[in-house]
Amino acid sequence: MGIRRIAMDESLRQLGVSDEAFAQAKALAEKQEVPLRDAVKKVEGVAPLAVARALSELSGLPVMEEIDTEAIEPSLVRPIPLMISREAGILPLYVVDGELVVGLQDLHALTALDDLRVLHGHPVRPVLVPSDVLEKATNDAYDRASSSASDVLGDVDDEVEESDDLSLEDAELLDDPNQAPIIRFVNAVLSQAIKERASDIHIEPYEKDLLVRYRIDGVLKESLRPPYKFKNTIVARIKIMAGLNIAEKRLPQDGRIRRKMMGREIDLRVSTVPVRQGERVVMRILEKGKVFSLDKIGMEGATLDTFRKLIHRPHGILLVSGPTGSGKSTTLYSAITEINRPDLNILTIEDPVEYEVPGIGQVQVNHKIDLTFASALRAFLRQDPDVILVGEIRDTETANNAVQASLTGHLVFSTIHTNDAAGAFARLVEMGVEPFLVASSLLGVVAQRLVRRLCEHCREPYTPSDEELLDLGLTRERVPGQVYRAKGCEECNMLGYAGRTAIHEFLSATENVKRLVIANADAGKVKQAAVEDGMITLRDAGVNKVLKGVTTFEEIRRVTAEDGGH
């Protein structure tokens, strides 16, 4: 194979890289004392394909612009850890005519070719691949090659013996990844949950069964039934990972696991509870580095415009209501992320702190030392805050402190557990806040629910029946044509849905609403006045999403059952 020694800079210029991008790459190479071929990959405006072609001109190696990941044999990538493949910028692709074709991101990876030749027993044929193409192919190949939890079960069953109690020596063994086969199973359970976009993992012992279930898009789905004899060792492994006391099986425990999985930083909030048949474990999956934006939570039209305007007010209270798991925290994080800027002092008190937001002071509730929502809120007022987020208003002291904070010039965000937006006013009055203080401090209330998104690959159109429309309080004039329903395909694991979005109703504290609150009117009258003032109810917001093809009437009926016709 002949080597054409064309200078890297000449090759890049021939491929159309701008003078500005080239100058940046050259300056970076000199500053960091690295070759130009390494520096150019870090400069914006230089296409990965151009870099690969320039390296080809420099080395004489061919360029492979596209990779068929379906054709990559899992047996070729399994022996190489994913981390090494990513760091070295190499990926075994195919065996062609007795030669192993290996994709390289740059020329540094040439040093690993001898190891691959020995590992796979084939002569190696290197090809250069654009970095973005190689990264996607690497993720896809390892995703396909990784064993599912059910695949791992067979191996573990042969290696783990039944045991009723776990000794400390066994616990030490469980923390050694080279010796404990149960670790492979637990890791596979976590990996499979990430792949399937699960929000929670449930491990549940029953009289004769051990059940693993994933909550996907808000609905629990059975995934595995490991042999019952594994119940103690699986729970012990999870406790060790979460830093919990494995000897304590009589009391509930809470912990946290931080892991990097499939190229993402993942936090798992772990809760164990003793039940009659052993210990039940639930792990909530939280992705670190999640980007929050009001434009991405499903809020639309006039509701979004009004809410966006009110979060920039200098003082007052904005509440988000809804059941557990309805996305209230995401809405609050999105709101404070939008207003977060250097000239504002934003403080939060949460139970627990689910996501870390740069530039914001976040405090976690600790009941053991009497650090509660109410006590933290009192302390915050001495910290010169502009904006305060309280995780939940659940008692009289917290409610009164939040109202006083808003009346003294602070913007307060919080959540409250009510069925709809109108119920929040009555709930605060029930907690002991004077009606006139509620009316003067509360800017508005968002009520929300999460609905599953239809899979765009398999959703099917249909014309709803008159009975279906009547059940939802709708007329044929409101739904004149076809809408979509779930079907199921391989892309969505035959569920018919993929992902979730929120539906919202926003009750703004208009003069009519304030007058009714001061008069201590019930929630029904407050809601009626809000609708007359233009409020879009949860049911109506849901129907709008059905008409846009986002979700189904079935989903809207499921999450807004208490909303009735309005």
Side-chain angles (χ1 to χ4, degrees):
M1 180 173 60
I3 302 293
R4 303 187 297 277
R5 298 195 176 277
I6 296 177
M8 184 79 174
D9 56 350
E10 180 187 342
S11 178
L12 286 171
R13 290 180 187 279
Q14 290 176 0
L15 291 165
V17 173
S18 68
D19 291 339
E20 182 184 357
F22 179 75
Q24 290 179 18
K26 197 168 184 180
L28 188 63
E30 292 173 358
K31 182 180 180 181
Q32 297 186 355
E33 297 181 349
V34 296
L36 181 62
R37 65 173 180 264
D38 293 339
V40 76
K41 290 183 291 186
K42 302 177 183 178
V43 175
E44 288 187 18
V46 181
L49 179 57
V51 176
R53 286 175 176 169
L55 290 172
S56 175
E57 293 289 338
L58 182 68
S59 65
L61 295 176
V63 175
M64 182 178 287
E65 298 184 11
E66 296 180 353
I67 294 176
D68 180 8
T69 54
E70 294 294 323
I72 298 175
E73 282 294 329
S75 59
L76 294 179
V77 299
R78 280 198 186 112
I80 307 168
L82 175 59
M83 187 178 297
I84 292 177
S85 177
R86 280 188 176 139
E87 288 178 355
I90 59 173
L91 181 65
L93 300 175
Y94 329 106
V95 175
V96 179
D97 297 330
E99 289 185 313
L100 176 65
V101 180
V102 178
L104 310 180
Q105 183 174 311
D106 58 38
L107 302 181
H108 290 304
L110 288 169
T111 57
L113 296 185
D114 281 343
D115 294 332
L116 288 176
R117 179 178 54 79
V118 172
L119 182 65
H120 289 292
H122 292 287
V124 174
R125 187 202 306 170
V127 295
L128 288 162
V129 181
S131 58
D132 55 344
V133 175
L134 189 68
E135 181 180 353
K136 183 180 184 304
T138 300
N139 289 337
D140 290 348
Y142 276 88
D143 189 30
R144 290 176 59 242
S146 61
S147 300
S148 68
S150 56
D151 293 335
V152 175
L153 269 181
D155 300 333
V156 177
D157 203 5
D158 297 333
E159 299 176 56
V160 178
E161 295 181 0
E162 184 171 4
S163 63
D164 290 328
D165 292 299
L166 199 74
S167 68
L168 291 178
E169 292 79 9
D170 291 330
E172 291 168 5
L173 181 68
L174 270 178
D175 211 21
D176 181 355
N178 294 318
Q179 299 184 49
I182 205 70
I183 287 178
R184 296 199 304 274
F185 173 71
V186 173
N187 288 345
V189 167
L190 299 182
S191 297
Q192 189 170 324
I194 301 298
K195 286 180 193 174
E196 296 191 19
R197 302 174 294 99
S199 60
D200 301 85
I201 305 169
H202 292 238
I203 299 175
E204 307 163 349
Y206 295 98
E207 188 173 356
K208 295 181 180 178
D209 290 308
L210 181 62
L211 192 61
V212 177
R213 297 198 289 174
Y214 296 147
R215 187 176 292 280
I216 301 172
D217 296 336
V219 178
L220 273 173
K221 168 192 165 213
E222 182 179 330
S223 177
L224 295 163
R225 285 182 178 264
Y228 189 68
K229 64 183 180 182
F230 293 157
K231 68 171 185 173
N232 290 333
T233 46
I234 289 172
V235 172
R237 171 59 188 162
I238 293 170
K239 281 185 166 184
I240 289 168
M241 294 170 73
L244 303 180
N245 181 358
I246 65 167
E248 180 55 78
K249 301 179 180 180
R250 302 163 300 169
L251 295 172
Q253 297 186 65
D254 295 311
R256 203 157 195 162
I257 299 171
R258 287 180 171 86
R259 281 286 185 274
K260 189 164 186 177
M261 304 179 71
M262 301 172 70
R264 293 144 61 189
E265 292 283 343
I266 301 295
D267 266 8
L268 295 120
R269 213 168 70 206
V270 180
S271 169
T272 69
V273 172
V275 293
R276 187 169 174 271
Q277 293 82 12
E279 286 182 281
R280 191 181 183 111
V281 180
V282 174
M283 291 177 277
R284 166 66 58 88
I285 301 172
L286 304 169
E287 186 171 352
K288 292 187 72 175
K290 184 175 179 180
V291 178
F292 295 98
S293 169
L294 287 177
D295 295 316
K296 296 180 180 178
I297 62 173
M299 199 177 285
E300 298 174 328
T303 300
L304 176 59
D305 294 339
T306 306
F307 185 67
R308 188 164 254 152
K309 182 171 67 175
L310 290 179
I311 66 175
H312 288 92
R313 293 279 286 272
H315 56 82
I317 300 178
L318 278 167
L319 296 179
V320 181
S321 75
T324 302
S326 61
K328 299 188 297 295
S329 295
T330 298
T331 298
L332 288 177
Y333 278 122
S334 299
I336 62 173
T337 298
E338 178 151 320
I339 64 174
N340 184 19
R341 57 181 193 266
D343 62 333
L344 285 183
N345 181 19
I346 303 177
L347 298 174
T348 76
I349 174 69
E350 305 169 58
D351 184 20
V353 174
E354 293 188 353
Y355 299 100
E356 295 177 8
V357 182
I360 292 173
Q362 295 175 268
V363 179
Q364 180 155 318
V365 165
N366 188 340
H367 293 288
K368 293 179 182 176
I369 57 173
D370 199 31
L371 178 57
T372 63
F373 289 127
S375 63
L377 193 46
R378 285 197 306 271
F380 282 178
L381 296 178
R382 298 189 291 273
Q383 289 281 314
D384 185 30
D386 297 293
V387 180
I388 298 172
L389 187 154
V390 183
E392 183 184 349
I393 294 177
R394 60 172 71 144
D395 56 61
T396 300
E397 187 179 5
T398 306
N400 279 314
N401 288 351
V403 168
Q404 290 304 319
S406 72
L407 294 176
T408 52
H410 305 91
L411 182 61
V412 180
F413 292 94
S414 191
T415 69
I416 193 165
H417 278 283
T418 57
N419 287 334
D420 58 11
F425 293 86
R427 183 79 184 96
L428 288 174
V429 173
E430 287 172 9
M431 287 183 187
V433 182
E434 292 292 340
F436 74 92
L437 290 177
V438 174
S440 58
S441 61
L442 205 52
L443 299 174
V445 185
V446 178
Q448 69 178 67
R449 301 289 189 274
L450 291 179
V451 295
R452 291 182 290 174
R453 282 181 173 275
L454 276 166
C455 173
E456 294 184 359
H457 297 278
C458 65
R459 63 180 187 175
E460 61 178 13
Y462 80 107
T463 301
S465 65
D466 291 339
E467 291 77 12
E468 189 175 4
L469 295 179
L470 183 63
D471 187 37
L472 287 160
L474 300 173
T475 61
R476 185 63 66 185
E477 289 73 24
R478 178 78 192 277
V479 189
Q482 291 187 321
V483 293
Y484 291 92
R485 61 186 171 196
K487 184 179 179 183
C489 66
E490 290 185 3
E491 292 287 336
C492 59
N493 288 325
M494 304 308 296
L495 296 174
Y497 298 94
R500 288 190 291 177
T501 188
I503 56 173
H504 305 85
E505 70 177 25
F506 184 70
L507 197 162
S508 186
T510 61
E511 290 305 317
N512 286 337
V513 169
K514 288 180 180 179
R515 197 160 41 247
L516 288 170
V517 172
I518 293 173
N520 220 359
D522 61 44
K525 290 181 179 177
V526 172
K527 183 171 185 176
Q528 184 179 350
V531 170
E532 290 171 359
D533 286 342
M535 183 184 80
I536 299 172
T537 66
L538 278 172
R539 176 65 62 87
D540 287 339
V543 170
N544 289 340
K545 289 213 186 284
V546 173
L547 297 178
K548 291 178 181 179
V550 175
T551 189
T552 63
F553 280 136
E554 182 184 0
E555 276 293 285
I556 302 307
R557 197 162 37 238
R558 179 177 68 87
V559 302
T560 66
E562 75 283 350
D563 200 38
H566 257 311

